[in-house]
Amino acid sequence: MKKFLAFVMAASMALSLAACVGSTPASSTASTTTEATSEAAASTSGSKTDVAFVTDVGNIDDQSFNQYTWQGVQDFCSANSLNANYYRPTEDSDAARLEQMDNAVNDGAKSIVVAGYLFGKAIAEAQEKYPDVQFLALDVSAATWATRLPPPTPL
């Protein structure tokens, strides 16, 4: 049941990403990362990244949330001729998570997927820092970063 729920969440994420980057023109040389050979290679890659996944403290082969989210990102990118890459923080801290989001943006990411409530503060900072980048946060509630966001503008 746990795997089924993770698959459903990954599929939902893929559909959400379609809404975020579906109108982005794909590069003719776009290739999707199908298998990351090492964390170091993925996080220091100089390749162009359209969609990035920043893991929590786990890895993409944890047979749980990170793995299924990464698979969803890969499936979406493969279906849309986009480049995917993942980034793993070096430690369990907001600064390390934000650093990997910075790396993803520097590699060209237009959309960043994060998984887990641990990203609350880091994603709030990243959204302010990168207003042109789309963020998809799984298992993160607005209450997690509500104190960091400016009040909504009345319509």
Side-chain angles (χ1 to χ4, degrees):
M1 183 67 167
K2 189 175 184 180
K3 287 184 180 184
F4 175 74
L5 289 175
F7 176 75
V8 169
M9 291 182 73
S12 297
M13 180 204 58
L15 291 174
S16 297
L17 275 174
C20 293
V21 293
S23 63
T24 303
S27 168
S28 61
T29 60
S31 65
T32 302
T33 304
T34 57
E35 181 177 342
T37 56
S38 73
E39 298 153 12
S43 63
T44 60
S45 170
S47 66
K48 180 161 175 17
T49 300
D50 296 306
V51 180
F53 170 52
V54 180
T55 69
D56 60 10
V57 295
N59 200 1
I60 60 166
D61 60 359
D62 63 2
Q63 296 185 355
S64 188
F65 210 56
N66 287 317
Q67 182 172 345
Y68 296 117
T69 303
W70 174 235
Q71 185 62 50
V73 169
Q74 288 181 303
D75 290 348
F76 172 80
C77 288
S78 178
N80 292 283
S81 300
L82 298 169
N83 294 325
N85 206 348
Y86 79 94
Y87 300 80
R88 183 176 181 208
T90 56
E91 62 183 37
D92 184 13
S93 71
D94 292 331
R97 287 183 273 278
L98 186 58
E99 177 185 16
Q100 292 309 315
M101 286 187 247
D102 292 340
N103 289 341
V105 171
N106 291 336
D107 283 350
K110 303 291 185 254
S111 297
I112 297 177
V113 179
V114 299
Y117 68 92
L118 296 174
F119 281 93
K121 291 180 183 178
I123 201 166
E125 287 183 41
Q127 284 180 315
E128 291 175 19
K129 194 173 183 179
Y130 304 111
D132 295 334
V133 174
Q134 299 290 322
F135 292 88
L136 175 61
L138 303 173
D139 194 30
V140 178
S141 70
T144 308
W145 72 82
T147 59
R148 298 214 35 151
L149 298 176
T153 306
L155 297 176

